[in-house]
Amino acid sequence: MKIGDVSFWYADIGMPRRRAGLESDTSADVAIIGAGYTGLWAAYYLKKAKPDLNVIVLEKEFAGFGASGRNGGWLMGTFAWNHARYAKLTSREAVLDMVRALEGTVEEVIAVCDAEGIDADIRRTDELSVATHPAHMLRLKEAAAHHREWGEGHRIRELSREETLARLNIPGALGGLSVNGMARVQPAKLARGLADAAERLGVRICEGTEVLDYAPGLVTTARGKVKAPIILRATEGFTATLPGHKREWLPVNSAQIVTAPLPSEVWEKIGWQGHELFHDFLNSYCYCQRTREGRIAVGARGVPYLYGSSIDRSGEPDAHTIATLTAILHRYFPAAADYPIDHAWCGVIGVPRDWCATVGLDPKTGLGWAGGYVGVGVSTSNLAGKTLADLALGRQTELTDLPWVNRRVRQWEPEPLRWLGVRTMYKLFEWADQREMRPGAGPSKLAALGNWLTGRG
């Protein structure tokens, strides 16, 4: 089993050719820090809107090195957003506008991939959430009601036990919730293709170029300085590594494993012919996909947070995390238990204090940002990049009026409080799951306490 080495998604296609780094001091109309999905989408849309614009992207490693090349491949058209909370701050209609905008990202990403010749193993499918305990069935009903309340009733279908098992043979399934209009992707293929598309438009992507600091009009890197009136920060889970941003977004760890390709007789037992994006209703949930060549990828939180907002750059999950993910695989897909795990890896996502993504730009300083996707960034980053492009060009559009634009939240607490808070939250989730698995048990209040503790609820 390969451990770390960025992710299986790169082992699948081969590590990319490294682009040249910044060679000397330079200038640009727009400088973007970070060559993940957000930065690449922003660069792409900027050049599509204004071909003569001088756009440079600065990346410490290589394009797609972070979460963009390590995620679960869920192109969802939804994102982390407490709808009711923000309806109070803005309006119900504004939140519904946000919902509709996110729904459109799935078709937008597919359309760009088609136009640019990006082969990212995209397959249209549904999200399939499966309940295996009575407490999970109550959460299923709550999730369905939430979708209906916020304008997504047309996308959902509650499934009986028999209907659920006909699609995915999960042991102990009691029912399921299907949400349509989603897609599966191969994350690294999407990142590589998007970087190539941006480069063809004339975007300069400087890899191996670590940003040390930035201020209005100037980005300082380890290889030189870049002057630009507009500077966009698109560093997501790595934001805490920049000076002055240690407490802005928490770098929370997520890990995955992937099996060897499974033979047809195993798939006959599992089902999963629709290649749905599968997850459960545990508080410490998992997320899974069936890959192009018939593997199962399983993801969940590993060691959730390292003290001091530190980041494990090796991408190597610990042995306990790998064992936990393997147990999840075998619990839900026992027919795959006799087949080896080929690869295990991990990475970080960005988590704001209120667990809700933001995008914005200060016209006085020319400094912009986007991120805090809380693990659902494949589609959210597309909307963020497109919105950043509009903001950078000074355009007033439907996107720049959405309620997540220029929304600031308070910072995370200083250490050791944030370490204790996050670790306690996930421990409460673990205890809640154990209680909810008891016969006849209802939802545990421990999970609600954990959510309250860190502002997640």
Side-chain angles (χ1 to χ4, degrees):
M1 174 173 55
K2 183 179 290 188
I3 298 176
D5 199 17
V6 187
S7 72
F8 161 75
W9 308 120
Y10 282 109
D12 181 39
I13 62 175
M15 294 298 285
R17 171 189 59 82
R18 293 286 184 121
R19 294 174 172 85
L22 186 68
E23 296 180 352
S24 61
D25 292 353
T26 189
S27 62
D29 297 316
V30 180
I32 299 172
I33 305 171
Y37 289 153
T38 302
L40 294 172
W41 280 122
Y44 177 84
Y45 286 120
L46 282 166
K47 291 293 284 186
K48 292 291 285 187
K50 195 172 181 181
D52 62 342
L53 204 67
N54 185 345
V55 179
I56 188 170
V57 180
L58 306 167
E59 167 59 45
K60 180 180 180 180
E61 300 291 344
F62 60 83
F65 171 80
S68 298
R70 308 184 195 206
N71 64 81
W74 286 38
L75 180 59
M76 299 176 65
T78 60
F79 77 141
W81 184 266
N82 188 317
H83 299 71
R85 178 189 299 172
Y86 289 98
K88 294 179 181 178
L89 298 178
T90 55
S91 68
R92 176 179 172 81
E93 187 55 40
V95 176
L96 290 173
D97 287 341
M98 191 76 210
V99 170
R100 288 187 285 267
L102 259 298
E103 281 187 21
T105 58
V106 175
E107 292 303 321
E108 173 67 9
V109 171
I110 292 173
V112 172
C113 287
D114 288 344
E116 299 293 344
I118 299 172
D119 176 11
D121 294 348
I122 295 177
R123 182 183 177 117
R124 298 177 193 273
T125 189
D126 299 343
E127 175 190 16
L128 180 60
S129 312
V130 178
T132 54
H133 292 82
H136 303 172
M137 283 298 293
L138 291 176
R139 275 201 287 280
L140 184 156
K141 296 292 184 182
E142 291 173 355
H146 178 85
H147 281 293
R148 294 189 183 101
E149 180 183 2
W150 295 103
E152 294 181 300
H154 62 287
R155 301 183 65 184
I156 69 166
R157 183 184 171 206
E158 292 184 56
L159 305 176
S160 68
R161 175 181 180 275
E162 291 73 23
E163 290 172 322
T164 302
L165 291 173
R167 294 174 69 168
L168 186 54
N169 189 18
I170 297 294
L174 300 178
L177 182 66
S178 177
V179 184
N180 66 22
M182 301 189 181
R184 178 209 71 191
V185 304
Q186 207 279 27
K189 283 188 171 185
L190 178 59
R192 178 180 293 184
L194 188 54
D196 290 343
E199 208 167 38
R200 286 194 299 270
L201 292 174
V203 174
R204 288 185 289 167
I205 302 176
C206 298
E207 297 180 341
T209 303
E210 181 181 6
V211 171
L212 304 177
D213 201 358
Y214 73 105
L218 184 66
V219 182
T220 302
T221 82
R223 301 175 64 104
K225 297 181 178 181
V226 179
K227 292 182 179 180
I230 301 293
I231 299 170
L232 307 177
R233 189 192 77 227
T235 46
E236 181 54 359
F238 292 92
T239 299
T241 65
L242 294 172
H245 297 283
K246 180 74 74 173
R247 293 166 51 196
E248 186 165 345
W249 291 338
L250 214 65
V252 171
N253 187 281
S254 196
Q256 292 182 76
I257 58 172
V258 69
T259 68
L262 303 176
S264 58
E265 58 267 26
V266 172
W267 287 114
E268 289 174 4
K269 295 177 182 178
I270 294 173
W272 214 350
Q273 298 306 307
H275 292 246
E276 293 90 347
L277 307 174
F278 162 72
H279 75 85
D280 58 21
F281 277 104
L282 270 71
N283 296 289
S284 52
Y285 64 91
C286 72
Y287 52 96
C288 309
Q289 74 147 281
R290 176 177 175 173
T291 72
R292 173 194 73 242
E293 69 278 64
R295 303 171 186 263
I296 298 177
V298 177
R301 295 288 175 266
V303 176
Y305 173 71
L306 300 178
Y307 189 89
S309 293
S310 299
I311 292 174
D312 180 3
R313 297 173 188 271
S314 70
E316 297 182 4
D318 63 287
H320 177 74
T321 296
I322 296 173
T324 298
L325 292 169
T326 303
I328 293 171
L329 169 74
H330 294 170
R331 179 168 70 245
Y332 290 134
F333 310 105
D338 293 333
Y339 295 87
I341 306 300
D342 270 2
H343 204 132
W345 70 98
C346 64
V348 292
I349 59 175
V351 178
R353 186 60 179 84
D354 64 354
W355 294 72
C356 296
T358 61
V359 58
L361 186 143
D362 182 349
K364 294 181 180 179
T365 63
L367 300 180
W369 73 92
Y373 304 134
V374 197
V376 286
V378 181
S379 56
T380 314
S381 60
N382 172 263
L383 186 65
K386 200 169 189 179
T387 305
L388 276 178
D390 283 348
L391 291 169
L393 294 171
R395 294 176 169 179
Q396 187 74 24
T397 68
E398 290 182 355
L399 297 185
T400 61
D401 287 337
L402 291 174
W404 70 330
V405 174
N406 288 326
R407 188 184 62 82
R408 296 278 193 174
V409 298
R410 67 185 177 92
Q411 292 189 330
W412 284 89
E413 289 75 8
E415 294 292 22
L417 294 179
R418 64 180 182 272
W419 185 89
L420 288 169
V422 175
R423 287 299 187 99
T424 300
M425 180 187 74
Y426 280 106
K427 180 56 68 173
L428 288 168
F429 287 171
E430 180 183 331
W431 291 339
D433 286 333
Q434 292 172 359
R435 291 191 177 193
E436 290 177 358
M437 289 181 183
R438 296 172 182 171
S444 171
K445 294 181 179 179
L446 291 175
L449 176 60
N451 284 324
W452 171 84
L453 181 67
T454 59
R456 186 170 179 260

